[in-house]
Amino acid sequence: MAEDIEAKIRRLRELGKVTAEPETPPVKPPTASPKKPPRRPRSISSIRERERRKRILIGASILIIVILIISIGAYSYLQSRSANELKNLRSKKIGEVNYYFSHYNFSNKECAQKAFQVRSLVLSKIESAKTVDQLRSIDVKIYFDKAVQVYKACVEEQQKVAYETQLNQTKQQKIQSIEIAFQPLLSMPLPDSIRAKVISAMKTLEQQVKSAKTIEEVNSISPDSYLLSLWRDYYFWKIDNIPTNDVILEKNGVKQLVSKSEAKSILSAVTSYTELLQYKVYKVQYVEIALVLPRDRIAGGFIKPGDVVMFFAKNGTKGQYKEIVNQGYVELVLLPTNVGQISVSESQSQSSSTSSSTSTTYNENQASTYNPGDTQFSNGTSVTDTYSNSESASQSSSASYSYNVNLAEILKAIAAGKIQASEQVKEELQNYGWKVITLEQTSDMLVLPPNTEFLIIVKVPSIFVPDILQNQQYLYVARVTT
């Protein structure tokens, strides 16, 4: 608009110059003449024309001055208005910048500095703008979006660096945990073939960790499946190298005597290597121990050498039972001394009795009654005669005898050589105890009381002996039947 006004003023100035200049005919160049022509007198019409032109020129000059004054005033007004508009727009732009940047959370101070550099740039452009058009061409939103983009890129870069650092730390920790997990297995006396498999599996896991791209991928790498297979191989190798056909499996203090195939079957069913490590494998070494137990705790005493038995213990306070030996063997059973006492008592008696009796009775009764007037009189007699005779006789006789034989004393006498025909006596006594037990079974009658103590010798793996001896007071022996 200012340019249009200036162009109009220039045109008016040119128009004024054209009007102010008098129209004069072309003048011929002076020629040398010997004599100056005489001056012509002016006519009235020319004078009037001259005055008219003068008035026109004055009017045009005044008009030009007025136009100039108006134009200068308009220009000054427009300039003042443009300056105010520029100032207001500049303030508005600055407020817009402050609004955008104050309503965004630039929490990361380091990255916020980069965003504020963009803010300083746009503020500099706003301050340096000379015209309203220049200010209007400045899009604050674009600069704000750029600042946010720079901020986010900085934050992402920092997060990326932090993530890479955390990823590397996670990888190192995972590799250390893998090595720690494999260390117990490597410390075992492994054969070369299994040791090579263990080292190869550990290296494979470490390489997977190193090539992982994310923390989640690192955390998902687990050595459990490898360790389960490798530990199972070690257990199988150990079982195969035990010379006996049976082995001892122990888990959480509970021991079992099982065959090698049963042990492998039990270990194959385990699905966690941590659970597998709870098992311990021992070789079987049998020992014989002697126990003195009441018959009600040794299957009623009806056990004999060669029987397969199991051992249970009762908790003295809680009354709960637990299995402590799953398999053992009876080697010998001895009867107690009170069973070796024979007491026999016999008695006879006889009696007879004879009796006879005779009795005769005679009765006679007489009676008379009188009624004189209102008075009644009665008179009577009664006679009874009884005769009896009885005889009795009795006879009785009785006889008794008893004897007592102590078999323990007989055995002592045989050992001392004080009994004749000792071999015959030993042969008679050899199965005496078993005959007593057998008699109970055949007669369905209890001969020996339930608390009768027996001495039994059992064969068990040596690993069970401490448990048996510690629980002897509450020990129960059960015979295994098929």
Side-chain angles (χ1 to χ4, degrees):
M1 182 182 294
E3 293 178 355
D4 294 340
I5 294 172
E6 292 177 355
K8 291 179 179 180
I9 291 172
R10 284 196 299 269
R11 286 196 295 271
L12 288 174
R13 287 176 178 175
E14 293 175 356
L15 181 60
K17 290 180 180 180
V18 171
T19 307
E21 292 179 356
E23 295 181 1
T24 54
V27 179
K28 291 182 179 181
T31 56
S33 59
K35 190 176 181 180
K36 205 173 186 180
R39 185 176 182 181
R40 278 172 114 173
R42 294 182 181 179
S43 61
I44 296 174
S45 59
S46 62
I47 294 172
R48 290 178 178 175
E49 182 64 23
R50 186 181 178 106
E51 291 294 330
R52 184 179 67 82
R53 290 179 179 178
K54 187 177 180 180
R55 286 195 299 269
I56 292 173
L57 183 59
I58 292 171
S61 299
I62 293 172
L63 178 62
I64 291 172
I65 292 171
V66 172
I67 292 173
L68 287 175
I69 293 172
I70 294 173
S71 299
I72 292 171
Y75 178 76
S76 299
Y77 171 75
L78 293 176
Q79 286 291 99
S80 176
R81 181 180 177 183
S82 178
N84 291 332
E85 185 178 1
L86 182 64
K87 181 179 179 181
N88 293 335
L89 185 57
R90 181 178 285 112
S91 299
K92 182 179 178 180
K93 290 288 183 179
I94 293 174
E96 188 177 354
V97 171
N98 293 331
Y99 173 80
Y100 279 118
F101 281 85
S102 63
H103 284 74
Y104 190 86
N105 184 19
F106 295 97
S107 57
N108 190 312
K109 294 183 179 180
E110 183 177 349
C111 294
Q113 296 300 324
K114 296 183 178 181
F116 292 155
Q117 290 178 0
V118 179
R119 176 176 177 273
S120 299
L121 177 62
V122 67
L123 289 175
S124 176
K125 285 184 173 294
I126 292 173
E127 292 293 342
S128 61
K130 301 300 182 181
T131 62
V132 173
D133 294 335
Q134 289 179 351
L135 278 177
R136 288 175 178 172
S137 64
I138 299 174
D139 193 337
V140 176
K141 185 64 168 59
I142 292 177
Y143 284 93
F144 171 72
D145 292 340
K146 183 179 180 181
V148 172
Q149 184 180 0
V150 170
Y151 174 79
K152 289 183 177 180
C154 177
V155 172
E156 290 177 0
E157 183 65 24
Q158 287 187 351
Q159 292 177 347
K160 182 179 179 181
V161 173
Y163 187 83
E164 291 293 333
T165 303
Q166 185 178 0
L167 177 61
N168 293 331
Q169 291 178 353
T170 305
K171 287 182 178 181
Q172 293 177 0
Q173 293 174 357
K174 177 62 73 172
I175 291 174
Q176 290 177 356
S177 65
I178 290 173
E179 293 176 351
I180 292 173
F182 275 85
Q183 189 59 39
L185 183 57
L186 289 172
S187 63
M188 295 295 175
L190 302 175
D192 294 339
S193 57
I194 297 181
R195 184 173 294 276
K197 289 176 63 177
V198 173
I199 295 175
S200 176
M202 184 174 65
K203 296 299 182 183
T204 299
L205 287 170
E206 290 178 351
Q207 186 59 38
Q208 291 179 3
V209 172
K210 292 178 181 179
S211 59
K213 302 300 183 182
T214 63
I215 295 177
E216 290 76 12
E217 187 179 353
V218 174
N219 292 331
S220 66
I221 298 173
S222 174
D224 291 358
S225 59
Y226 292 88
L227 290 171
L228 176 62
S229 177
L230 294 171
W231 273 107
R232 187 179 288 129
D233 291 343
Y234 166 70
Y235 276 108
F236 287 179
W237 171 81
K238 187 174 181 179
I239 291 172
D240 291 336
N241 282 271
I242 293 177
T244 58
N245 293 326
D246 297 329
V247 296
I248 301 293
L249 272 185
E250 180 185 1
K251 180 186 178 183
N252 298 330
V254 179
K255 307 177 187 70
Q256 286 183 294
L257 175 64
V258 294
S259 64
K260 289 184 175 180
S261 59
E262 289 175 336
K264 290 182 178 180
S265 177
I266 292 173
L267 297 178
S268 297
V270 179
T271 57
S272 170
Y273 94 93
T274 54
E275 181 183 356
L276 188 64
L277 291 180
Q278 298 176 10
Y279 285 90
K280 297 179 181 179
V281 180
Y282 304 99
K283 69 177 182 179
V284 179
Q285 184 176 1
Y286 283 99
V287 296
E288 293 182 353
I289 58 174
L291 301 172
V292 178
L293 300 172
R295 67 176 299 181
D296 60 351
R297 288 201 270 137
I298 51 173
F302 302 111
I303 57 176
K304 55 184 180 298
D307 284 346
V308 180
V309 293
M310 298 176 64
F311 294 81
F312 298 86
K314 178 182 178 181
N315 188 310
T317 57
K318 297 182 179 179
Q320 297 178 347
Y321 294 85
K322 64 177 181 178
E323 176 187 317
I324 58 175
V325 182
N326 70 314
Q327 185 173 325
Y329 303 93
V330 177
E331 293 293 305
L332 182 64
V333 181
L334 299 180
L335 295 176
T337 57
N338 59 353
V339 181
Q341 185 78 26
I342 301 177
S343 297
V344 179
S345 177
E346 295 183 5
S347 64
Q348 294 179 353
S349 64
Q350 182 179 358
S351 64
S352 61
S353 176
T354 303
S355 65
S356 63
S357 174
T358 303
S359 176
T360 303
T361 302
Y362 173 76
N363 294 321
E364 182 179 353
N365 295 317
Q366 294 180 358
S368 299
T369 302
Y370 302 96
N371 296 307
D374 295 330
T375 303
Q376 181 178 0
F377 299 94
S378 61
N379 184 22
T381 60
S382 173
V383 180
T384 302
D385 296 328
T386 302
Y387 305 93
S388 63
N389 185 21
S390 64
E391 297 180 356
S392 65
S394 63
Q395 182 181 2
S396 64
S397 63
S398 64
S400 63
Y401 64 91
S402 63
Y403 62 88
N404 190 304
V405 177
N406 192 321
L407 296 183
E409 297 300 325
I410 292 177
L411 293 176
K412 293 178 182 179
I414 293 174
K418 299 300 182 179
I419 294 181
Q420 297 179 356
S422 59
E423 294 297 328
Q424 183 179 358
V425 175
K426 286 194 293 183
E427 185 178 353
E428 291 294 332
L429 296 177
Q430 184 176 8
N431 290 323
Y432 169 74
W434 295 114
K435 287 182 179 179
V436 173
I437 301 301
T438 304
L439 180 62
E440 287 184 333
Q441 293 175 317
T442 57
S443 64
D444 295 331
M445 288 187 293
L446 187 65
V447 176
L448 304 178
N451 60 351
T452 302
E453 291 185 335
F454 284 70
L455 173 67
I456 62 173
I457 297 178
V458 292
K459 183 175 73 172
V460 294
S462 60
I463 196 171
F464 292 118
V465 173
D467 296 330
I468 293 175
L469 298 180
Q470 290 173 3
N471 297 279
Q472 186 173 359
Q473 185 179 358
Y474 310 102
L475 192 66
Y476 286 79
V477 180
R479 183 175 58 184
V480 178
T481 60
T482 57

